[in-house]
Amino acid sequence: MKIGIIGGTGFYEMEGEEIEVETKYGNVNATHFKRGKRDVFFIARHGKAHAKPAHAVNYHANIMAMKNIGAKVIIGISTVGSMKKSIKPGSIFIPNDFIDFTKRHTTFFDNEAIHIDLSEPFCPVVRKILVNATKNAKEGVYVATEGPRLETKAEIAMFKKFGDVVGMTLVPEAILAREAGICYASICLVSNYAAGLQERLSIEEIKEMYRKRKVAIEKIVNKAIEKIPARRNCRCRYAAIEGKL
Ligand code: HPA
């Protein structure tokens, strides 16, 4: 069982063999290492040195690279802003659903009528493993925004009626993984309260939070990797076949 990790800069960067994976969407750099008996492949979501901001990430290439490597499971790691006072900065949030406010291209299937079911947008097995691996995990709805700017207070006042946290990278990553038949679940570090819930937002504060919580996230991900079953018995891998018109 090969496991993929897609992380923001600074998350889960491990020593290992550097490889380059070809895809029809572009080449992707990955790091391969062993975690127990598992083969793990890490892709830095934004490319080397955080070159690409969230709206310009090559999500299609990243997911296709995981597919070409043979990864059956992906854990996505990212930071989010909290829209709820009860979800404090420093918390770990495991989304159970999302709302897409991006303007992105969210499919691999441009020439075929395939409508994947997203009633349960994350792999139920991997998601549960992440929740169980996390002490005091917060769960709820992730509102995906286009970025790269942060949100206005009015936007957050609206978004918080729909969801719990706000972030820029879950979409289309989770959707493309499902289209590719890869089990996907997400673990988010809450780095700040969203606009209007705190005085002002500073990028330094967001960076500081992930410096502080990086090791905790790595521990959770390592624990989760051990628990992922060798054989999949969820329906994620059939999504495209079942969605074909
Ligand atoms: N908004 C959007 N994305 C984010 C935030 C935020 O407040 N914090 C970290 N990622």
Side-chain angles (χ1 to χ4, degrees):
M1 162 75 76
K2 293 178 179 171
I3 294 171
I5 310 285
I6 300 180
T9 314
F11 276 132
Y12 210 82
E13 278 161 347
M14 298 286 158
E15 295 280 306
E17 176 202 6
E18 299 294 326
I19 58 170
E20 193 170 345
V21 190
E22 271 181 37
T23 83
K24 67 178 195 182
Y25 302 96
N27 290 5
V28 176
N29 296 305
T31 311
H32 172 213
F33 51 89
K34 285 264 187 193
R35 227 348 113 250
K37 6 183 235 309
R38 295 284 155 77
D39 277 297
V40 183
F41 293 84
F42 174 80
I43 291 175
R45 177 179 292 113
H46 304 270
K48 284 190 174 160
H50 211 110
K52 296 201 186 87
H55 68 290
V57 165
N58 194 342
Y59 296 97
H60 287 69
N62 289 349
I63 298 297
M64 198 46 80
M66 287 299 190
K67 175 104 179 160
N68 293 350
I69 284 166
K72 305 293 184 220
V73 170
I74 295 172
I75 296 173
I77 312 174
S78 62
T79 57
V80 293
S82 168
M83 299 189 286
K84 299 287 155 75
K85 276 285 172 207
S86 59
I87 304 174
K88 296 190 172 66
S91 317
I92 307 289
F93 184 87
I94 317 280
N96 55 24
D97 209 339
F98 68 77
I99 298 180
D100 178 13
F101 278 100
T102 73
K103 306 172 179 83
R104 298 178 190 160
H105 182 56
T106 60
T107 184
F108 284 121
F109 302 121
D110 291 312
N111 302 308
E112 278 175 282
I114 292 178
H115 307 278
I116 55 158
D117 177 21
L118 283 185
S119 312
E120 193 159 33
F122 303 102
C123 171
V125 176
V126 180
R127 209 192 74 77
K128 204 79 218 157
I129 288 172
L130 283 176
V131 171
N132 291 340
T134 308
K135 207 159 82 190
N136 302 323
K138 301 286 182 183
E139 296 177 72
V141 177
Y142 178 123
V143 175
T145 58
E146 180 63 25
R149 67 172 178 84
L150 294 163
E151 300 72 33
T152 67
K153 282 189 277 194
E155 284 169 336
I156 294 298
M158 176 182 76
F159 291 154
K160 76 184 201 196
K161 295 192 165 52
F162 307 138
D164 303 295
V165 301
V166 60
M168 300 174 196
T169 56
L170 185 70
V171 173
E173 194 168 279
I175 301 170
L176 295 174
R178 177 63 63 81
E179 283 194 346
I182 302 172
C183 294
Y184 181 97
S186 152
I187 174 166
C188 306
L189 168 63
V190 178
S191 53
N192 57 282
Y193 282 120
L197 276 82
Q198 63 178 56
E199 193 80 356
R200 61 182 292 274
L201 296 181
S202 87
I203 289 303
E204 195 40 53
E205 179 190 350
I206 295 177
K207 277 162 53 184
E208 179 58 28
M209 186 55 86
Y210 72 61
R211 274 195 290 272
K212 261 200 221 152
R213 299 288 284 155
K214 183 178 144 90
V215 174
I217 300 256
E218 283 168 6
K219 279 194 184 148
I220 295 167
V221 172
N222 287 339
K223 209 154 116 188
I225 288 171
E226 267 176 43
K227 301 272 184 213
I228 291 169
R231 278 181 187 284
R232 298 193 286 170
N233 57 13
C234 53
R235 300 207 65 75
C236 302
R237 73 200 119 143
Y238 305 123
I241 301 161
E242 291 178 348
K244 197 166 169 60
L245 204 65

